[in-house]
Amino acid sequence: MSGAHSGQQATPSVDAIALELHEQIEQVRSGVLPRRQFVQQLAGMGLGAPLVGLLLMQAGLGQSGPAMAQTAGPAPAYPPTRRGGGGVLKLLMWQGPTLLNPHFATGVKDIEGARIFYEPLARWDAEGNLLPVLAAEIPSRANGGLAADGKSVLWRLKKGVTWHDGQPFTADDVLFNWQYAIDPATAAITAGDYLNLKMEKVDAHTVRVRFEQPSPFWPGIYCTTRLIPKHVFAPYSGAKSREAPANLKPVGTGPYVFADFKPGDLIRGTLNPNYHQPNRPHFDSIELKGGGDAVSAARAVLQTGEYDYAWNLLVEDDVLKRLEVNGKGRVVFSAGGSIEAIFLNAADPWTEVDGERANPKSRHPFFSDPAVREALGLLIDRQGIQRFIAGRTGVATPNFLNNPERFRSPHRQMWFDIAKANALLDGAGYVRGADGMRSKAGKPLKLVFQTSINAPRQKIQAVIKQACQKAGIAVELKSVVGSVFFSSDVANPDTYGKFWADLQMYAGDQGSPDPTEHMQRFVSWEIASKANKWLRANLNRWHSAEFDAAYRAAEKEMDPVKRAALFIRMNDIACNDGYVIPLLYRPIVTGLGERLRAPLSGWDSDLASLADWYKVA
C-alpha cells in the first residue's frame, strides 16, 4: 500500500537490522548456528540466500559464493569457429529506437538500439557476474585493480580495439565520456552514472577512477555505460551535443557497423570485420525493425518465425502460451530488477510556474494530501492484476526494490480495500456530488492517468479506473505510442520525462544487481525539469530529505549488511509516502526463435551479449 495502514508493521532501523545479522554471523562462527539455519533466517528477514556467501566470506568463514562483482564470471559457451556465416539476424522491437547516442537514451528501446554499435567497459551476466568487454580484465585485489581503502579502481583497457572508422580506442575515449556526460550543457541522461567520481589517465590503456569516498559498489553505473568516440563527438560537446550527426549515425566498437537508420522504424548494421573478439559476430548483418505492438511482435517470432527475436513481450500470458505451441520459437524469462509501477506527480502538471508545467517548485493540488495518496494505494488490486492479466510475466509486489533478495523489504504488505479508501476520502473532506464523483472546495477530484500503448497496460488502466470510480475519483485514461512516450524529444509534450499528467505507469529497470541506479529515481538532485531538458531520473519530482540521507549513506557504506538495510529503508520511505505505487515485479520477457541462442541477462540490456549470439543448425 502507499501510506500507513492499520496493521502495517513499523520499519526497523538500519542499525537494528545490521546488529541482528552480525550477531547471527558470530553464532555461525562459533558453531552455535548451523549455516543452513542461517540461510533460513536470512530468508525470513527478507534478505535471502544470495547474501550468505558474501557475508560469510567477509567474516573469514570461507567462500560459500563469490562476492558480487569482485571477480569475472565464466565466459559463455560459444561454438562458432569463424566470424560471419550466420546470415541476417532479424530483431523486432515494438517500440522502435528514436536515436542512437547512449548518453541520450531515456528508455530501454534507445539503449538497445545504441548497444548494437556501442560497448561499455563491462557487462553483467545472468548470475550477476561482471564480464569484461572493452576492459582487458575485471579489477580485483589480486590483479591490483582495487584499492584497499575502496576509494579507487584501476581499469586496464583491451589493446588493439578500434572504432568502426579505424581509429584506436584508448583511455582518452573513456575520460571523454565522463567529461561529456557531466557537462550540464550536454544534458546527458548518463550524468548520474558518473556521480561522485573522477577519472584520470594512467597511460594509453589504463584509467584510474577515484571516488569521493569509499565506494562499496565500485563498478558503479559508469562501467556499463556505452562509450562513444572522442574524435567523433568532441566537436559537439556541451551545448552542441544535439547537433552531432553521429547521434543518428553511430561510430562504435561493437560487433556490427552502422549501415542505415530510420528513427522509430529500422536499424541496419553489417558485420564488423575488425571486431575485437575472435570468431564474432556470427551473423553477417543485423536488422532491427521497430513499431507495431507486443502481440504482433510475439506472433512474428513464436508463430510465424519471421523474426529471430522479439523484445519486451508485455503480452497476456495466456496469449504467449497459445503462440508457443507453434514450435517456431520460445519465451524466455530473465530474472532482474524491473518493476511496473504507478508514479504520482508531486508537482502540478496543469499550472505553469516560471513558464514550466510540473515545475518542481509547485505542489500537486490533490497529491499533496496524504489521504488521497493512501486512498489510491488502497484501490490497486495487485494480486488480481497478476492473476488475470500478467500471469508469468509479472509478480504482485508492494516493493519498488525486489531483487536480489537481500534488498527486498519484508515490512510492507499489499492492501486492496475500497471501503477504507472511501473512509479516508470522506474524512479528508472530499464530498460526493450527484454523479457520485468527489470534489473539495469546488475542485473536482479528477485525474489524468497516462502510460504507453500496450494491451496489458491498457487493461491495468481500466481495472484501476473502475476501482477509483467506486471511491468517487474520476480518472481520464491517456495512452501514448511507446516511441513517443519514452522519447527524449524535448519538443514532445507527451513524454514520460515531462510527465504532464497526474499519474503515469511504466516499468523501471534496475540495470544491475546493485540498486544504486534503480533508487536514483527518487533522489532530489535527479529531479527532471525544463532546466535539464527533462532528462534526469526523478520523473515524478518527489523528494525526501530522509531518503536523500539514506542514499548518501549507502553510497559510502562498506558493510554489506548495513548497506542492504539502507536500501530496504529507502524502499520503505518512498513506497510508504505514496508517490510511487509498485504493481508487479517483472522478469524480462523475450521471444527467441527456436534456433537462436542468446545468453540473456536480466541485469543488463538484452543486446549487451549480442556478440555472443548465434544460431544452431
Side-chain angles (χ1 to χ4, degrees):
M1 57 168 278
S2 301
H5 188 281
S6 57
Q8 182 168 327
Q9 70 182 83
T11 304
S13 70
V14 170
D15 288 340
I17 295 172
L19 178 61
E20 183 175 350
L21 283 170
H22 280 303
E23 287 177 349
Q24 290 179 352
I25 291 171
E26 289 307 310
Q27 290 174 359
V28 173
R29 185 194 302 277
S30 64
V32 174
L33 178 64
R35 287 176 183 249
R36 181 187 295 266
Q37 188 176 341
F38 178 59
V39 174
Q40 294 171 343
Q41 290 184 7
L42 275 180
M45 295 177 67
L47 298 180
L51 190 57
V52 174
L54 180 57
L55 295 178
L56 296 181
M57 181 183 69
Q58 293 192 352
L61 297 173
Q63 293 194 17
S64 300
M68 182 176 62
Q70 295 298 311
T71 58
Y78 184 76
T81 56
R82 69 181 181 93
R83 198 186 311 276
V88 181
L89 175 62
K90 300 183 69 175
L91 315 179
L92 192 55
M93 295 183 66
W94 51 274
Q95 293 174 11
T98 54
L99 54 77
L100 298 176
N101 183 333
H103 290 285
F104 301 141
T106 59
V108 177
K109 63 181 180 59
D110 292 328
I111 292 173
E112 296 287 13
R115 187 62 178 85
I116 295 174
F117 308 105
Y118 293 114
E119 297 181 305
L121 292 174
R123 67 178 178 88
W124 297 101
D125 72 4
E127 281 69 48
N129 298 306
L130 199 56
L131 306 180
V133 181
L134 293 176
E137 59 185 354
I138 299 300
S140 67
R141 291 284 184 86
N143 63 27
L146 294 181
D149 62 3
K151 297 185 71 173
S152 69
V153 57
L154 201 67
W155 288 91
R156 296 178 176 88
L157 308 181
K158 186 179 289 187
K159 296 180 180 179
V161 178
T162 59
W163 297 99
H164 292 156
D165 61 3
Q167 294 296 308
F169 164 73
T170 70
D172 291 329
D173 294 302
V174 179
L175 265 66
F176 169 75
N177 278 262
W178 162 57
Q179 295 163 342
Y180 178 92
I182 65 174
D183 183 346
T186 302
I189 189 66
T190 53
D193 297 6
Y194 296 92
L195 206 61
N196 301 321
L197 63 81
K198 293 183 179 179
M199 291 187 172
E200 59 187 42
K201 177 181 175 181
V202 176
D203 58 42
H205 289 90
T206 310
V207 171
R208 178 176 284 107
V209 179
R210 294 193 183 276
F211 307 107
E212 293 182 2
Q213 55 197 12
S215 180
F217 184 58
W218 55 264
I221 308 167
Y222 71 90
C223 86
T224 55
T225 299
R226 285 69 172 160
L227 302 178
I228 59 176
K230 177 181 179 179
H231 68 279
V232 173
F233 284 90
Y236 299 95
S237 295
K240 295 183 178 181
S241 62
R242 294 285 173 161
E243 301 172 16
N247 288 342
L248 302 177
K249 296 180 179 180
V251 179
T253 60
Y256 298 97
V257 177
F258 175 78
D260 189 24
F261 178 42
K262 295 180 175 61
D265 179 29
L266 179 70
I267 300 176
R268 291 183 56 250
T270 58
L271 177 148
N272 178 2
N274 301 311
Y275 189 56
H276 56 87
Q277 294 192 54
N279 304 325
R280 294 169 172 84
H282 171 68
F283 298 98
D284 303 301
S285 62
I286 184 171
E287 293 182 2
L288 190 157
K289 177 68 175 174
D293 55 56
V295 174
S296 62
R299 186 175 292 114
V301 172
L302 305 176
Q303 185 178 59
T304 69
E306 181 182 359
Y307 284 84
D308 301 303
Y309 161 94
W311 166 84
N312 194 24
L313 295 184
L314 297 181
V315 178
E316 293 93 330
D317 197 26
D318 61 336
V319 174
L320 292 176
K321 289 177 179 177
R322 289 198 301 269
L323 293 174
E324 279 183 297
V325 301
N326 292 280
K328 296 291 182 67
R330 63 200 188 281
V331 178
V332 176
F333 298 89
S334 303
S338 182
I339 174 71
E340 188 85 16
I342 295 173
F343 298 84
L344 280 60
N345 206 332
D348 185 350
W350 311 114
T351 304
E352 286 193 1
V353 174
D354 296 336
E356 178 182 358
R357 290 171 60 180
N359 189 304
K361 297 177 184 177
S362 66
R363 296 292 306 278
H364 193 280
F366 294 121
F367 297 153
S368 55
D369 186 341
V372 176
R373 303 197 303 271
E374 184 174 355
L376 279 172
L378 290 166
L379 295 171
I380 310 299
D381 183 8
R382 297 173 176 88
Q383 292 176 330
I385 290 171
Q386 176 185 340
R387 180 179 178 187
F388 296 108
I389 300 176
R392 294 176 298 171
T393 68
V395 180
T397 178
N399 291 313
F400 190 80
L401 179 52
N402 290 275
N403 205 18
E405 272 188 83
R406 62 181 174 272
F407 299 118
R408 187 183 307 155
S409 172
H411 311 130
R412 290 179 40 78
Q413 302 175 42
M414 292 184 288
W415 300 100
F416 175 52
D417 193 334
I418 294 177
K420 175 68 174 178
N422 272 297
L424 282 167
L425 294 173
D426 287 340
Y430 293 87
V431 298
R432 288 183 183 269
D435 60 356
M437 297 296 102
R438 295 181 183 272
S439 63
K440 186 174 183 179
K443 189 174 181 63
L445 183 51
K446 183 177 181 179
L447 307 173
V448 175
F449 178 18
Q450 70 178 17
T451 190
S452 63
I453 293 178
N454 169 264
R457 284 188 174 137
Q458 270 67 76
K459 288 187 176 182
I460 293 172
Q461 277 186 308
V463 168
I464 292 172
K465 176 178 180 176
Q466 185 179 43
C468 286
Q469 286 176 330
K470 293 179 180 178
I473 302 174
V475 176
E476 176 186 334
L477 301 182
K478 179 180 178 181
S479 301
V480 183
V481 174
S483 59
V484 173
F485 187 68
F486 297 107
S487 170
S488 60
D489 181 1
V490 296
N492 196 310
D494 293 323
T495 65
Y496 75 149
K498 285 188 173 176
F499 194 4
W500 290 351
D502 300 295
L503 308 97
Q504 64 181 1
M505 176 173 60
Y506 60 91
D509 186 32
Q510 188 164 312
S512 81
D514 186 90
T516 302
E517 179 181 13
H518 193 50
M519 302 308 280
Q520 196 179 62
R521 289 178 172 88
F522 302 113
V523 296
S524 62
W525 53 90
E526 280 291 322
I527 289 177
S529 68
K530 184 177 181 179
N532 53 50
K533 300 180 183 179
W534 300 279
L535 290 177
R536 291 300 176 90
N538 186 339
L539 305 186
N540 62 335
R541 285 73 159 168
W542 175 80
H543 60 89
S544 159
E546 186 181 7
F547 185 97
D548 285 355
Y551 188 93
R552 289 298 196 198
E555 285 184 308
K556 61 183 179 182
E557 180 55 67
M558 299 300 289
D559 184 321
V561 178
K562 288 185 177 181
R563 192 162 184 272
L566 282 164
F567 278 110
I568 290 172
R569 180 64 182 158
M570 279 182 254
N571 174 87
D572 294 347
I573 293 168
C575 294
N576 287 342
D577 201 30
Y579 279 98
V580 58
I581 305 174
L583 298 178
L584 302 167
Y585 158 66
R586 284 196 177 278
I588 297 172
V589 184
T590 308
L592 298 181
E594 191 58 34
R595 294 173 52 212
L596 181 63
R597 300 294 179 264
L600 304 179
S601 168
W603 298 119
D604 215 321
S605 67
D606 276 0
L607 302 191
S609 62
L610 183 60
D612 296 323
W613 291 22
Y614 65 95
K615 278 185 180 179
V616 296

